[in-house]
mmCIF file with all atom_site columns, all heavy atoms in Angstrom:
data_model
loop_
_atom_site.group_PDB
_atom_site.id
_atom_site.type_symbol
_atom_site.label_atom_id
_atom_site.label_alt_id
_atom_site.label_comp_id
_atom_site.label_asym_id
_atom_site.label_entity_id
_atom_site.label_seq_id
_atom_site.pdbx_PDB_ins_code
_atom_site.Cartn_x
_atom_site.Cartn_y
_atom_site.Cartn_z
_atom_site.occupancy
_atom_site.B_iso_or_equiv
_atom_site.pdbx_formal_charge
_atom_site.auth_seq_id
_atom_site.auth_comp_id
_atom_site.auth_asym_id
_atom_site.auth_atom_id
_atom_site.pdbx_PDB_model_num
ATOM 1  N N   . ARG A 1 67 ? -12.636 -12.984 13.796 1.00 97.00 ? 82 ARG A N   1
ATOM 2  C CA  . ARG A 1 67 ? -14.029 -13.450 13.605 1.00 97.00 ? 82 ARG A CA  1
ATOM 3  C C   . ARG A 1 67 ? -14.060 -14.929 13.225 1.00 97.00 ? 82 ARG A C   1
ATOM 4  O O   . ARG A 1 67 ? -14.888 -15.690 13.725 1.00 97.00 ? 82 ARG A O   1
ATOM 5  C CB  . ARG A 1 67 ? -14.714 -12.629 12.520 1.00 97.00 ? 82 ARG A CB  1
ATOM 6  C CG  . ARG A 1 67 ? -15.124 -11.270 12.957 1.00 97.00 ? 82 ARG A CG  1
ATOM 7  C CD  . ARG A 1 67 ? -15.913 -10.564 11.854 1.00 97.00 ? 82 ARG A CD  1
ATOM 8  N NE  . ARG A 1 67 ? -16.128 -9.178  12.219 1.00 97.00 ? 82 ARG A NE  1
ATOM 9  C CZ  . ARG A 1 67 ? -15.968 -8.157  11.393 1.00 97.00 ? 82 ARG A CZ  1
ATOM 10 N NH1 . ARG A 1 67 ? -15.620 -8.353  10.130 1.00 97.00 ? 82 ARG A NH1 1
ATOM 11 N NH2 . ARG A 1 67 ? -16.180 -6.923  11.802 1.00 97.00 ? 82 ARG A NH2 1
ATOM 12 N N   . THR A 1 68 ? -13.176 -15.324 12.324 1.00 98.00 ? 83 THR A N   1
ATOM 13 C CA  . THR A 1 68 ? -13.116 -16.722 11.881 1.00 98.00 ? 83 THR A CA  1
ATOM 14 C C   . THR A 1 68 ? -12.811 -17.646 13.057 1.00 98.00 ? 83 THR A C   1
ATOM 15 O O   . THR A 1 68 ? -13.452 -18.690 13.225 1.00 98.00 ? 83 THR A O   1
ATOM 16 C CB  . THR A 1 68 ? -12.032 -16.885 10.790 1.00 98.00 ? 83 THR A CB  1
ATOM 17 O OG1 . THR A 1 68 ? -12.389 -16.080 9.667  1.00 98.00 ? 83 THR A OG1 1
ATOM 18 C CG2 . THR A 1 68 ? -11.881 -18.337 10.356 1.00 98.00 ? 83 THR A CG2 1
ATOM 19 N N   . LEU A 1 69 ? -11.836 -17.249 13.871 1.00 98.00 ? 84 LEU A N   1
ATOM 20 C CA  . LEU A 1 69 ? -11.437 -18.093 15.003 1.00 98.00 ? 84 LEU A CA  1
ATOM 21 C C   . LEU A 1 69 ? -12.504 -18.132 16.091 1.00 98.00 ? 84 LEU A C   1
ATOM 22 O O   . LEU A 1 69 ? -12.769 -19.190 16.664 1.00 98.00 ? 84 LEU A O   1
ATOM 23 C CB  . LEU A 1 69 ? -10.099 -17.606 15.577 1.00 98.00 ? 84 LEU A CB  1
ATOM 24 C CG  . LEU A 1 69 ? -8.910  -17.739 14.621 1.00 98.00 ? 84 LEU A CG  1
ATOM 25 C CD1 . LEU A 1 69 ? -7.696  -17.028 15.181 1.00 98.00 ? 84 LEU A CD1 1
ATOM 26 C CD2 . LEU A 1 69 ? -8.600  -19.199 14.338 1.00 98.00 ? 84 LEU A CD2 1
ATOM 27 N N   . ILE A 1 70 ? -13.133 -17.000 16.363 1.00 97.00 ? 85 ILE A N   1
ATOM 28 C CA  . ILE A 1 70 ? -14.199 -16.972 17.375 1.00 97.00 ? 85 ILE A CA  1
ATOM 29 C C   . ILE A 1 70 ? -15.375 -17.824 16.922 1.00 97.00 ? 85 ILE A C   1
ATOM 30 O O   . ILE A 1 70 ? -15.982 -18.545 17.720 1.00 97.00 ? 85 ILE A O   1
ATOM 31 C CB  . ILE A 1 70 ? -14.627 -15.527 17.702 1.00 97.00 ? 85 ILE A CB  1
ATOM 32 C CG1 . ILE A 1 70 ? -13.522 -14.834 18.516 1.00 97.00 ? 85 ILE A CG1 1
ATOM 33 C CG2 . ILE A 1 70 ? -15.944 -15.493 18.467 1.00 97.00 ? 85 ILE A CG2 1
ATOM 34 C CD1 . ILE A 1 70 ? -13.740 -13.346 18.750 1.00 97.00 ? 85 ILE A CD1 1
ATOM 35 N N   . ALA A 1 71 ? -15.688 -17.778 15.629 1.00 98.00 ? 86 ALA A N   1
ATOM 36 C CA  . ALA A 1 71 ? -16.782 -18.597 15.102 1.00 98.00 ? 86 ALA A CA  1
ATOM 37 C C   . ALA A 1 71 ? -16.480 -20.082 15.304 1.00 98.00 ? 86 ALA A C   1
ATOM 38 O O   . ALA A 1 71 ? -17.390 -20.880 15.553 1.00 98.00 ? 86 ALA A O   1
ATOM 39 C CB  . ALA A 1 71 ? -17.008 -18.293 13.627 1.00 98.00 ? 86 ALA A CB  1
ATOM 40 N N   . ARG A 1 72 ? -15.219 -20.463 15.208 1.00 97.00 ? 87 ARG A N   1
ATOM 41 C CA  . ARG A 1 72 ? -14.826 -21.875 15.339 1.00 97.00 ? 87 ARG A CA  1
ATOM 42 C C   . ARG A 1 72 ? -14.648 -22.296 16.801 1.00 97.00 ? 87 ARG A C   1
ATOM 43 O O   . ARG A 1 72 ? -15.073 -23.354 17.206 1.00 97.00 ? 87 ARG A O   1
ATOM 44 C CB  . ARG A 1 72 ? -13.529 -22.112 14.550 1.00 97.00 ? 87 ARG A CB  1
ATOM 45 C CG  . ARG A 1 72 ? -12.827 -23.429 14.793 1.00 97.00 ? 87 ARG A CG  1
ATOM 46 C CD  . ARG A 1 72 ? -13.632 -24.622 14.297 1.00 97.00 ? 87 ARG A CD  1
ATOM 47 N NE  . ARG A 1 72 ? -12.926 -25.849 14.509 1.00 97.00 ? 87 ARG A NE  1
ATOM 48 C CZ  . ARG A 1 72 ? -12.891 -26.536 15.658 1.00 97.00 ? 87 ARG A CZ  1
ATOM 49 N NH1 . ARG A 1 72 ? -13.532 -26.084 16.719 1.00 97.00 ? 87 ARG A NH1 1
ATOM 50 N NH2 . ARG A 1 72 ? -12.235 -27.661 15.740 1.00 97.00 ? 87 ARG A NH2 1
ATOM 51 N N   . PHE A 1 73 ? -13.989 -21.441 17.613 1.00 97.00 ? 88 PHE A N   1
ATOM 52 C CA  . PHE A 1 73 ? -13.614 -21.853 18.974 1.00 97.00 ? 88 PHE A CA  1
ATOM 53 C C   . PHE A 1 73 ? -14.416 -21.180 20.078 1.00 97.00 ? 88 PHE A C   1
ATOM 54 O O   . PHE A 1 73 ? -14.397 -21.657 21.214 1.00 97.00 ? 88 PHE A O   1
ATOM 55 C CB  . PHE A 1 73 ? -12.121 -21.587 19.214 1.00 97.00 ? 88 PHE A CB  1
ATOM 56 C CG  . PHE A 1 73 ? -11.225 -22.298 18.249 1.00 97.00 ? 88 PHE A CG  1
ATOM 57 C CD1 . PHE A 1 73 ? -10.483 -21.586 17.317 1.00 97.00 ? 88 PHE A CD1 1
ATOM 58 C CD2 . PHE A 1 73 ? -11.139 -23.683 18.241 1.00 97.00 ? 88 PHE A CD2 1
ATOM 59 C CE1 . PHE A 1 73 ? -9.657  -22.238 16.404 1.00 97.00 ? 88 PHE A CE1 1
ATOM 60 C CE2 . PHE A 1 73 ? -10.327 -24.348 17.335 1.00 97.00 ? 88 PHE A CE2 1
ATOM 61 C CZ  . PHE A 1 73 ? -9.591  -23.622 16.415 1.00 97.00 ? 88 PHE A CZ  1
ATOM 62 N N   . GLY A 1 74 ? -15.110 -20.079 19.785 1.00 96.00 ? 89 GLY A N   1
ATOM 63 C CA  . GLY A 1 74 ? -15.862 -19.370 20.814 1.00 96.00 ? 89 GLY A CA  1
ATOM 64 C C   . GLY A 1 74 ? -14.964 -19.020 21.980 1.00 96.00 ? 89 GLY A C   1
ATOM 65 O O   . GLY A 1 74 ? -13.882 -18.475 21.807 1.00 96.00 ? 89 GLY A O   1
ATOM 66 N N   . LYS A 1 75 ? -15.387 -19.376 23.187 1.00 94.00 ? 90 LYS A N   1
ATOM 67 C CA  . LYS A 1 75 ? -14.596 -19.108 24.394 1.00 94.00 ? 90 LYS A CA  1
ATOM 68 C C   . LYS A 1 75 ? -13.689 -20.290 24.740 1.00 94.00 ? 90 LYS A C   1
ATOM 69 O O   . LYS A 1 75 ? -13.000 -20.276 25.759 1.00 94.00 ? 90 LYS A O   1
ATOM 70 C CB  . LYS A 1 75 ? -15.513 -18.802 25.587 1.00 94.00 ? 90 LYS A CB  1
ATOM 71 C CG  . LYS A 1 75 ? -16.252 -17.488 25.463 1.00 94.00 ? 90 LYS A CG  1
ATOM 72 C CD  . LYS A 1 75 ? -15.316 -16.312 25.614 1.00 94.00 ? 90 LYS A CD  1
ATOM 73 C CE  . LYS A 1 75 ? -16.080 -14.999 25.607 1.00 94.00 ? 90 LYS A CE  1
ATOM 74 N NZ  . LYS A 1 75 ? -15.201 -13.850 25.682 1.00 94.00 ? 90 LYS A NZ  1
ATOM 75 N N   . GLY A 1 76 ? -13.712 -21.334 23.892 1.00 97.00 ? 91 GLY A N   1
ATOM 76 C CA  . GLY A 1 76 ? -12.883 -22.514 24.144 1.00 97.00 ? 91 GLY A CA  1
ATOM 77 C C   . GLY A 1 76 ? -11.418 -22.257 23.848 1.00 97.00 ? 91 GLY A C   1
ATOM 78 O O   . GLY A 1 76 ? -11.044 -21.252 23.249 1.00 97.00 ? 91 GLY A O   1
ATOM 79 N N   . GLN A 1 77 ? -10.591 -23.190 24.261 1.00 98.00 ? 92 GLN A N   1
ATOM 80 C CA  . GLN A 1 77 ? -9.156  -23.065 24.039 1.00 98.00 ? 92 GLN A CA  1
ATOM 81 C C   . GLN A 1 77 ? -8.768  -23.556 22.650 1.00 98.00 ? 92 GLN A C   1
ATOM 82 O O   . GLN A 1 77 ? -9.446  -24.393 22.068 1.00 98.00 ? 92 GLN A O   1
ATOM 83 C CB  . GLN A 1 77 ? -8.392  -23.851 25.101 1.00 98.00 ? 92 GLN A CB  1
ATOM 84 C CG  . GLN A 1 77 ? -8.556  -23.257 26.495 1.00 98.00 ? 92 GLN A CG  1
ATOM 85 C CD  . GLN A 1 77 ? -7.690  -23.946 27.533 1.00 98.00 ? 92 GLN A CD  1
ATOM 86 O OE1 . GLN A 1 77 ? -6.683  -24.565 27.217 1.00 98.00 ? 92 GLN A OE1 1
ATOM 87 N NE2 . GLN A 1 77 ? -8.091  -23.837 28.795 1.00 98.00 ? 92 GLN A NE2 1
ATOM 88 N N   . PHE A 1 78 ? -7.670  -23.011 22.139 1.00 98.00 ? 93 PHE A N   1
ATOM 89 C CA  . PHE A 1 78 ? -7.157  -23.404 20.829 1.00 98.00 ? 93 PHE A CA  1
ATOM 90 C C   . PHE A 1 78 ? -5.641  -23.273 20.847 1.00 98.00 ? 93 PHE A C   1
ATOM 91 O O   . PHE A 1 78 ? -5.080  -22.586 21.694 1.00 98.00 ? 93 PHE A O   1
ATOM 92 C CB  . PHE A 1 78 ? -7.773  -22.559 19.713 1.00 98.00 ? 93 PHE A CB  1
ATOM 93 C CG  . PHE A 1 78 ? -7.627  -21.076 19.928 1.00 98.00 ? 93 PHE A CG  1
ATOM 94 C CD1 . PHE A 1 78 ? -6.512  -20.395 19.465 1.00 98.00 ? 93 PHE A CD1 1
ATOM 95 C CD2 . PHE A 1 78 ? -8.602  -20.363 20.618 1.00 98.00 ? 93 PHE A CD2 1
ATOM 96 C CE1 . PHE A 1 78 ? -6.361  -19.033 19.678 1.00 98.00 ? 93 PHE A CE1 1
ATOM 97 C CE2 . PHE A 1 78 ? -8.465  -18.996 20.837 1.00 98.00 ? 93 PHE A CE2 1
ATOM 98 C CZ  . PHE A 1 78 ? -7.346  -18.330 20.358 1.00 98.00 ? 93 PHE A CZ  1
#
Side-chain angles (χ1 to χ4, degrees):
R82 284 185 189 136
T83 298
L84 295 171
I85 288 172
R87 168 67 178 82
F88 301 112
K90 291 289 185 183
Q92 293 186 23
F93 54 89

